[in-house]
Amino acid sequence: MPAAPFPPPTPATRRGLWPTRIAWRLALGLGVLVGLVLLALLQSGWQLRLMSDLTQRFATGDMQRLLRVQALTLQTEGVGSALVRLVHAPREDRVKEYTDVDARNRTLDGIIESLSEGLKDVEQEATLRRLVEARTTYAEAFIATVDEIEADNLPAAARALNDQVNPALNAMLRESGALLQRERQRVEEQLAAAQSLFERVALWVGAASLLGVALAAVVAWRTTRSVVAPLARLETAALQIAQGDYRHRMPDTGTQEVDRVGQALNTMADAVAQREQQIVRLAYQDSLTGLPNRTALLYPQHPVPEGYNALLLIDLARLKAINETLGFATGDTLIKELATRSQAVLQTAMARGWVGPRGVVARLAGGSFAMAVRAASRHEVEQLRLALSAAMAQSVACSGHSVDLAIACGLAGAETQDAVAANALLRNAEVALHSAKRAALDHTWYSAAQEAARLDHLSLVSDLRTAVAQSQLQMWLQPKLSLQTGQPVGAEALVRWVHPQRGFVSPAEFVPFAEQTGYITMVTDWMLDQALHTLQRWASTYPQLSIAVNLSTRDLQDPGFALRVAAKVAASGVDPQRLRLEVTESGVMQDAVKSLALLHALRAVGMPLSIDDFGTGYSSLAYLQKMPVSELKIDRSFVDGIDAAPASQRLVKAMIEMGHGLDLVVTAEGVETTAERDMLISLGCDVMQGYLGSKPLHGDVMETWLLSNT
Ligand code: C2E
Ligand code: CA
Ligand code: CA
């Protein structure tokens, strides 16, 4: 699935003056609140100042004037009575009375003068002018009265007092009364003004507080909503992503912080989607060759339009041996080369129209590849196979070696035009490949008979138990010959199964299954008994010959095995030296510690041990030194055609020298020609085993062979 390009994350869009960041919103909200509080405080302070000014003015100005006007009235009345006392006072007291009257007059003048200061009322000014005039009249009348007193004309003085002074004083009293009246009125007005100011301030502060609370509520609500609502949308979107909808984008919430989290989630979703694609790719693609894998072939992500009706199962021969001898890098190179070449063959076949245009090459496992195609008939598939083997003809050069790309093919399908399920095709091709390998052919077509054989195979394993009980097994012996004297030195015991229905069954067919199921231990025990029997018989005729029995991995892991063998040998009375036991390197390596302990136990009983199939396993020289073995059997694959292969010669020479260095007898397996034998002699090999000496033989045939060969 190709990655769909995701739209880039968009920055939060501005909505009017409303800020896009939560921080700014909070700052704005708090700022508005602080501003309102400051404004309310300022306004209240200003109003309070106005009020204090007013009270100040009231206390210093108006109230004092009122008091002064009251004092004026009192003083005016006081002057009247002081004058009466002066007129009637005896001569010697007059000076005192004069002083009193003078002082009162001065006070009067002082009050009048102070009243005229800072007067802003027109009416009051007029009243004050009339008061001043009355004061002038009173001054003149006072002087006239004093003149009469000084002339000792007291009746005239009393008259002047009555007629002139008292009316003037009364006029003054009248005017000061008017002044008082007016001042009282002013004070009342001031009080009313102050009252209304108080009320206004209270109203203002109340309104400002109300407004502040309302604004604060609005800001708080909007801020909260602007945080909670985007978070809720984010949550919904995140849940959608969690459900696998990676292409779902976080909505633009208009809030920077939330959008940043949203963008982070988008990035995360992209990364997860990418990784998931990668996982899917890994799940459907073979990492070594880049080809589709088994899963991709059997469970395609998208249905194959016309389907397949034929399948070629290609198997790279001897991959295990190549990995073990030339290393995994070489094995990988071969696999990649096989992938490239079969891919190219398929492309050409599709281009030429031999097969439909939607064929596929998949790597199933190891050196196993499948080519699934749509073909008109078997003929086209056969053409494809021929092209494949032609493409593999040229050997591959890797790290100094030239390695053949030998392949075997199992072919299935193309009987009709109908599409066949890939797994059915693959299963049939596997059956075909299996029978091709068994028959040592480079290819076979699947047939129903093979299927029957395959099913038989399965029942075979369950038959094995009865086989042992009913003596369907046979021990065949293959002689081993000294390369120095040409004389037989012993034989290897090889099991054969004569099945009542199927006839002769090769050990290559059932030994691996018997090993898997554990029945092999019964086979080993049976073979040991047979070998000991034969050795008993040979004790007088061929005391120099040994018989080698093959042990399986299972035997090597059975802790009771050594004791069992020891008991068998003791019971038979056979010299343990004459019973050899063959183990493979890979068999020992499965559980090296356990196996080595067992090998030492067996060796202690007296049986000599051999390393079988040497050169095909992983084992190192270091391990070989630890094994208590006395014979090294070089695997058949190194011997095959050794006379014409200098590389094999060098290798086998090294193996022989190494074996001799460890005091081992070196045996070559699978010697088929005299040329191979002669080459082995010249390389210093000790013993040979193979068809050249003799094929494995049974019963009387073996006895006859011995008679004519010793
Ligand atoms: P192996 O132990 O390597 O036995 C040698 C195999 O090579 C035998 O095959 C033998 O018939 C074959 N052979 C001998 N000389 C030649 C030759 O010159 N050319 C060719 N091409 N082949 C030759 P066989 O009997 O089919 O046994 C196959 C394998 O089955 C044995 O390989 C061994 O691993 C296993 N096997 C056989 N008998 C027993 C047994 O009694 N117990 C166990 N555990 N495994 C057994
Ligand atoms: Ca063997
Ligand atoms: Ca062998």
Side-chain angles (χ1 to χ4, degrees):
M1 185 173 66
F6 292 118
T10 46
T13 45
R14 189 163 263 286
R15 286 169 193 176
L17 283 176
W18 185 238
T20 56
R21 291 185 52 182
I22 296 173
W24 288 123
R25 282 177 208 162
L26 290 175
L28 177 77
L30 284 172
V32 166
L33 277 182
V34 169
L36 281 172
V37 169
L38 276 177
L39 203 68
L41 281 174
L42 268 173
Q43 182 65 20
S44 314
W46 185 62
Q47 299 284 2
L48 281 173
R49 255 203 70 168
L50 276 185
M51 268 164 50
S52 89
D53 280 359
L54 196 72
T55 350
Q56 184 83 14
R57 239 187 14 248
F58 184 63
T60 53
D62 302 309
M63 207 56 196
Q64 274 183 13
R65 282 175 77 88
L66 183 73
L67 290 174
R68 276 207 293 271
V69 172
Q70 272 178 341
L72 181 68
T73 308
L74 286 174
Q75 286 299 334
T76 310
E77 281 168 354
V79 165
S81 32
L83 280 174
V84 172
R85 275 198 308 278
L86 177 67
V87 170
H88 299 290
R91 184 171 286 273
E92 60 275 14
D93 287 347
R94 271 187 202 155
V95 177
K96 189 171 103 330
E97 294 302 337
Y98 272 131
T99 320
D100 182 34
V101 172
D102 268 348
R104 284 175 190 274
N105 281 343
R106 267 200 310 279
T107 307
L108 266 181
D109 288 341
I111 291 172
I112 289 169
E113 204 183 307
S114 76
L115 280 177
S116 64
E117 276 168 16
L119 202 66
K120 285 170 195 122
D121 194 323
V122 185
E123 204 180 316
Q124 287 288 77
E125 269 176 14
T127 313
L128 198 64
R129 239 185 349 264
R130 284 198 295 277
L131 182 73
V132 171
E133 278 166 18
R135 168 72 177 100
T136 313
T137 315
Y138 157 66
E140 286 164 2
F142 174 64
I143 289 166
T145 307
V146 170
D147 285 347
E148 292 304 339
I149 291 170
E150 289 306 310
D152 276 331
N153 188 358
L154 290 179
R159 249 195 329 274
L161 186 66
N162 256 337
D163 299 344
Q164 291 175 44
V165 171
N166 279 349
L169 281 177
N170 282 340
M172 276 174 72
L173 275 176
R174 216 173 31 249
E175 296 310 328
S176 82
L179 269 179
L180 189 63
Q181 178 80 19
R182 179 70 193 139
E183 284 307 324
R184 275 210 189 102
Q185 196 188 337
R186 275 176 64 96
V187 166
E188 272 161 18
E189 278 170 8
Q190 293 289 344
L191 277 177
Q195 182 72 26
S196 87
L197 183 63
F198 270 123
E199 280 164 8
R200 228 173 44 234
V201 169
L203 199 73
W204 220 103
V205 171
S209 308
L210 260 178
L211 189 69
V213 167
L215 260 170
V218 169
V219 168
W221 179 74
R222 274 212 70 168
T223 308
T224 311
R225 215 191 52 140
S226 78
V227 175
V228 172
L231 282 179
R233 291 172 69 190
L234 215 58
E235 188 187 345
T236 317
L239 283 175
Q240 220 146 339
I241 289 177
Q243 278 159 13
D245 182 6
Y246 301 121
R247 306 191 52 194
H248 187 86
R249 297 287 86 184
M250 289 294 156
D252 172 21
T253 59
T255 300
Q256 274 190 36
E257 287 90 339
V258 177
D259 283 351
R260 269 211 297 277
V261 175
Q263 280 160 26
L265 281 174
N266 284 342
T267 314
M268 188 197 74
D270 290 353
V272 171
Q274 252 172 30
R275 230 158 290 160
E276 207 175 80
Q277 275 169 12
Q278 211 172 345
I279 290 168
V280 167
R281 205 174 54 236
L282 285 177
Y284 284 87
Q285 196 185 50
D286 172 53
S287 55
L288 180 65
T289 60
L291 290 179
N293 61 11
R294 185 185 205 97
T295 316
L297 176 70
L298 297 184
Y299 314 102
Q301 282 173 293
H302 309 290
V304 185
E306 311 113 40
Y308 309 117
N309 70 342
L311 188 142
L312 295 87
L313 184 62
I314 307 159
D315 187 64
L316 178 57
R318 302 197 311 143
L319 177 63
K320 188 168 175 282
I322 290 164
N323 277 337
E324 286 167 1
T325 52
L326 301 176
F328 284 96
T330 311
D332 285 356
T333 311
L334 291 188
I335 290 167
K336 282 191 264 187
E337 191 61 32
L338 177 51
T340 316
R341 293 189 193 179
S342 27
Q343 185 75 300
V345 167
L346 178 65
Q347 293 301 330
T348 319
M350 292 194 299
R352 291 187 185 164
W354 297 350
V355 294
R358 288 180 213 275
V360 67
V361 182
R363 180 177 175 219
L364 305 180
S368 165
F369 291 79
M371 194 180 278
V373 292
R374 174 107 203 149
S377 71
R378 282 194 169 194
H379 171 70
E380 283 77 19
V381 183
E382 193 64 39
Q383 242 179 323
L384 191 57
R385 188 195 63 77
L386 283 170
L388 258 179
S389 45
M392 304 304 162
Q394 205 189 345
S395 58
V396 183
C398 37
S399 50
H401 304 279
S402 168
V403 189
D404 284 341
L405 263 182
I407 56 164
C409 277
L411 311 167
E415 285 119 306
T416 64
Q417 292 286 329
D418 302 334
V420 183
N423 60 348
L425 282 173
L426 182 61
R427 203 186 60 103
N428 291 352
E430 269 165 1
V431 172
L433 180 67
H434 192 74
S435 74
K437 281 182 175 175
R438 237 182 3 224
L441 298 170
D442 67 349
H443 79 282
T444 50
W445 277 93
Y446 168 78
S447 70
Q450 288 168 358
E451 181 74 356
R454 204 179 72 94
L455 290 175
D456 269 9
H457 214 95
L458 294 174
S459 65
L460 213 60
V461 179
S462 55
D463 287 353
L464 193 58
R465 187 182 275 277
T466 20
V468 179
Q470 297 175 0
S471 335
Q472 292 169 12
L473 298 184
Q474 291 178 354
M475 180 184 73
W476 288 54
L477 292 168
Q478 183 174 37
K480 293 161 79 177
L481 301 157
S482 161
L483 282 171
Q484 273 123 49
T485 62
Q487 284 294 304
V489 294
E492 178 177 356
L494 297 161
V495 71
R496 298 289 179 265
W497 182 4
V498 187
H499 193 277
Q501 282 87 44
R502 298 200 50 200
F504 192 85
V505 184
S506 142
E509 229 174 302
F510 73 86
V511 164
F513 287 99
E515 270 181 340
Q516 275 168 28
T517 52
Y519 289 141
I520 193 70
T521 54
M522 295 190 314
V523 176
T524 308
D525 281 3
W526 188 86
M527 288 291 281
L528 281 169
D529 290 341
Q530 295 302 305
L532 287 169
H533 248 237
T534 308
L535 286 170
Q536 271 175 341
R537 260 193 293 121
W538 286 355
S540 52
T541 43
Y542 311 110
Q544 78 282 16
L545 299 184
S546 66
I547 294 182
V549 172
N550 290 286
L551 301 191
S552 85
T553 313
R554 291 275 185 155
D555 300 317
L556 292 174
Q557 279 156 18
D558 176 1
F561 184 70
L563 279 177
R564 210 161 62 234
V565 181
K568 277 185 199 292
V569 174
S572 70
V574 169
D575 176 4
Q577 291 289 334
R578 293 172 65 208
L579 180 68
R580 280 199 161 269
L581 299 174
E582 292 190 4
V583 295
T584 59
E585 294 169 282
S586 46
V588 173
M589 297 317 274
Q590 296 247 318
D591 187 344
V593 178
K594 233 190 225 175
S595 306
L596 278 180
L598 186 89
L599 292 185
H600 279 283
L602 289 170
R603 187 74 201 98
V605 178
M607 276 88 67
L609 306 175
S610 305
I611 292 273
D612 199 3
D613 302 345
F614 184 76
T616 59
Y618 298 96
S619 80
S620 60
L621 194 58
Y623 253 98
L624 197 62
Q625 279 174 314
K626 282 190 192 172
M627 292 199 225
V629 294
S630 62
E631 185 191 24
L632 196 93
K633 296 184 78 179
I634 296 174
D635 190 69
R636 213 161 59 216
S637 56
F638 297 98
V639 175
D640 186 22
I642 190 170
D643 50 296
S648 294
Q649 287 162 22
R650 279 196 295 278
L651 206 60
V652 169
K653 188 165 191 276
M655 287 180 186
I656 292 169
E657 278 167 4
M658 187 186 75
H660 286 166
L662 291 169
D663 265 343
L664 306 178
V665 172
V666 181
T667 301
E669 291 187 306
V671 182
E672 294 182 353
T673 66
T674 46
E676 286 169 0
R677 183 196 60 193
D678 294 346
M679 177 51 69
L680 287 163
I681 292 174
S682 77
L683 292 174
C685 191
D686 306 307
V687 178
M688 63 152 277
Q689 181 186 340
Y691 293 169
L692 179 67
S694 169
K695 288 205 170 183
L697 305 169
H698 180 53
D700 292 346
V701 188
M702 178 65 192
E703 301 295 332
T704 316
W705 185 91
L706 279 174
L707 276 177
S708 55
N709 283 278
T710 45

